[in-house]
Amino acid sequence: MALSASPYTLHHADCLSLMSSMPDASVDAIITDPPYFRVKSDAWDRQWRTADAFAVWMGQVLDQCARILKPNGSLYLFASPAMAARVELLIAERLQVLNQIVWAKPTGRHMGTCRASQRRFFPQTERILFAEHYGADSTAEDAAGYKAQCAALRRTVFEPLRRYLDDERKRAGWRCSEIDAAWREWRGTPNSQGGMATHWFSRSQWALPTPEAYAWLQQLFRSRLSYALPGMAGSLGKDYVALQDDYQCLKAQYDTLKQQYQALRRPFAMDKVAPHTDVWHFPVVQPYPGKHPCEKPLPLMRHIMACSTSPGHVVLDPFLGSGSTGIAALEAGCRFVGIEQDAAIHAQAAKRLADFVGG
Ligand SMILES: C[S@@+](CC[C@H](N)C(=O)[O-])C[C@H]1O[C@@H](n2cnc3c(N)ncnc32)[C@H](O)[C@@H]1O
């Protein structure tokens, strides 16, 4: 299935048959809200006579999801509180469930219930099951040996600089522990935990001294050299600008390789204000003429996109409904594929996305 030049493609089709024509590992994220099973009066939520029949069908949908999701892809699947446990088990047979997110709605039908007639707690939430492929991180780490290469590179890339500092230290006759103690003394923190010299001279966790620390080391080394070895030229002769140039050059090599590794991992990022736990509070969409009965709020969909997609990613929603997933995906700079079996709903979503893209 080739992607068109448009940033999105909508299909009026049954998602099971459409997804079966999609190639393996072809989408970066599947973000979708399937029928919940007999929660709504609409025909699309009453296609199955029993919960077991619904579960069999859901298993077939998840088979396709697992097949077409890339190795570092994310699945977000909405479920009702009543069916979430069962759907979670179905997902776990195919993918690793990372969270069962609780979407708590501040307003809704729970506000108008008659408490006296309740025989159990009224559900005020929906669930969002978040999953990835089993072993996704290790797949990314192992691919092309990037993780091992990064570690080896970190050890070797900075070695010329580390060796330069360490050779100069030896030549000046200073032990690391002496340098640590002298540094703490000079900083006015003689009793603090030491260890900085380990970072400047040893292979593990090597770090470049700051300009201030380098100037201090130059003085320290030269004091003992001129005392112990009269006539010998100075120590740490390289000026700091040259040292830093070398460092930046080596760091650029290291960062490039690390980025290649990062790109293989499942994206996951959060800003400081967005919900960072598995309980989300987003208001429901207020009723308006022609509203889809299950339209999901854009702020919630944007939160998912921001956490789990990157610009250019392909996002699939096999149960398109009003198209909220599509709007949020396009806003995030992703390409979008939507599938909807109901002609009228498909047409309405198509108009919404066209209006969004058009202007
Ligand atoms: C819960 S609604 C999705 C609502 C959507 N998240 C939104 O924000 O508007 C589920 C949608 O899936 C559609 N649907 C149900 N079975 C389907 C199938 N087998 N293939 C494609 N679409 C289907 C229904 O017509 C309905 O519009």
Side-chain angles (χ1 to χ4, degrees):
M1 196 194 65
L3 282 171
S4 67
S6 163
Y8 69 92
T9 311
L10 301 188
H11 299 276
H12 173 214
D14 166 52
C15 67
L16 260 185
S17 59
L18 199 289
M19 280 197 289
S20 59
S21 71
M22 295 175 73
D24 294 357
S26 55
V27 304
D28 297 281
I30 301 175
I31 301 169
T32 197
D33 173 24
Y36 282 0
F37 182 63
R38 294 181 171 263
V39 170
K40 298 289 178 195
S41 55
D42 307 70
W44 53 258
D45 202 22
R46 293 177 177 264
Q47 306 173 57
W48 311 272
R49 273 196 332 106
T50 62
D52 286 346
F54 172 79
V56 169
W57 170 81
M58 182 57 78
Q60 292 166 349
V61 170
L62 289 168
D63 280 341
Q64 290 302 323
C65 290
R67 184 183 64 76
I68 62 185
L69 191 65
K70 287 186 183 171
N72 61 351
S74 306
L75 170 76
Y76 285 84
L77 190 126
F78 286 73
S80 70
M83 290 299 283
R86 202 152 171 186
V87 174
E88 180 172 343
L89 287 177
L90 290 169
I91 296 177
E93 285 169 18
R94 296 150 177 95
L95 297 165
Q96 164 96 52
V97 176
L98 298 168
N99 288 113
Q100 191 188 97
I101 298 156
V102 176
W103 170 27
K105 302 174 203 174
T107 58
R109 282 176 48 220
H110 62 278
M111 299 175 82
T113 53
C114 169
R115 291 181 182 222
S117 62
Q118 268 182 234
R119 297 287 301 135
R120 58 179 168 159
F121 300 103
F122 194 93
Q124 188 201 329
T125 64
E126 291 182 37
R127 304 301 151 80
I128 307 166
L129 299 157
F130 173 34
E132 67 173 1
H133 278 287
Y134 281 106
D137 257 7
S138 50
T139 306
E141 284 170 8
D142 294 346
Y146 276 119
K147 191 185 180 195
Q149 281 193 46
C150 280
L153 191 73
R154 174 137 194 92
R155 273 194 305 277
T156 56
V157 132
F158 298 113
E159 179 58 14
L161 285 180
R162 187 208 66 80
R163 199 176 325 111
Y164 161 69
L165 292 167
D166 203 36
D167 285 352
E168 292 296 281
R169 171 187 71 77
K170 286 178 192 149
R171 198 161 70 84
W174 285 88
R175 288 200 304 271
C176 287
S177 55
E178 288 177 311
I179 298 171
D180 258 344
W183 174 245
R184 287 202 301 275
E185 193 70 41
W186 187 74
R187 301 274 311 244
T189 56
N191 299 322
S192 70
Q193 290 291 316
M196 207 52 227
T198 311
H199 297 295
W200 297 329
F201 307 110
S202 80
R203 284 189 182 83
S204 97
Q205 297 186 306
W206 180 81
L208 183 72
T210 62
E212 178 202 33
Y214 189 67
W216 176 83
L217 280 173
Q218 281 177 318
Q219 273 202 345
L220 186 80
F221 288 4
R222 284 167 195 178
S223 66
R224 191 174 279 182
L225 268 181
S226 54
Y227 168 76
L229 304 166
M232 190 164 180
S235 176
L236 288 176
K238 214 178 240 197
D239 74 25
Y240 194 78
V241 176
L243 197 71
Q244 209 169 23
D245 276 355
D246 291 350
Y247 176 79
Q248 292 305 345
C249 204
L250 298 174
K251 189 167 177 306
Q253 282 178 30
Y254 178 66
D255 288 347
T256 305
L257 193 75
K258 239 174 84 176
Q259 270 170 19
Q260 285 174 298
Y261 164 60
Q262 287 296 342
L264 293 172
R265 295 187 84 193
R266 172 177 56 78
F268 193 70
M270 266 179 297
D271 65 25
K272 284 204 176 107
V273 289
H276 68 291
T277 72
D278 56 1
V279 181
W280 296 359
H281 299 268
F282 287 99
V284 295
V285 179
Q286 291 306 308
Y288 63 85
K291 175 184 169 292
H292 189 291
C294 304
E295 181 176 330
K296 293 294 172 278
L298 273 177
L300 187 158
M301 302 312 293
R302 287 183 186 124
H303 178 47
I304 295 177
M305 297 298 162
C307 290
S308 287
T309 68
S310 303
H313 273 180
V314 177
V315 174
L316 167 72
D317 185 350
F319 300 98
L320 177 67
S322 68
S324 289
T325 312
I327 301 285
L330 295 178
E331 282 179 355
C334 296
R335 302 171 69 83
F336 178 68
V337 180
I339 312 171
E340 170 60 55
Q341 72 173 7
D342 182 289
I345 297 174
H346 172 267
Q348 204 172 337
K351 178 167 181 339
R352 188 177 176 203
L353 265 78
D355 288 348
F356 174 79
V357 171

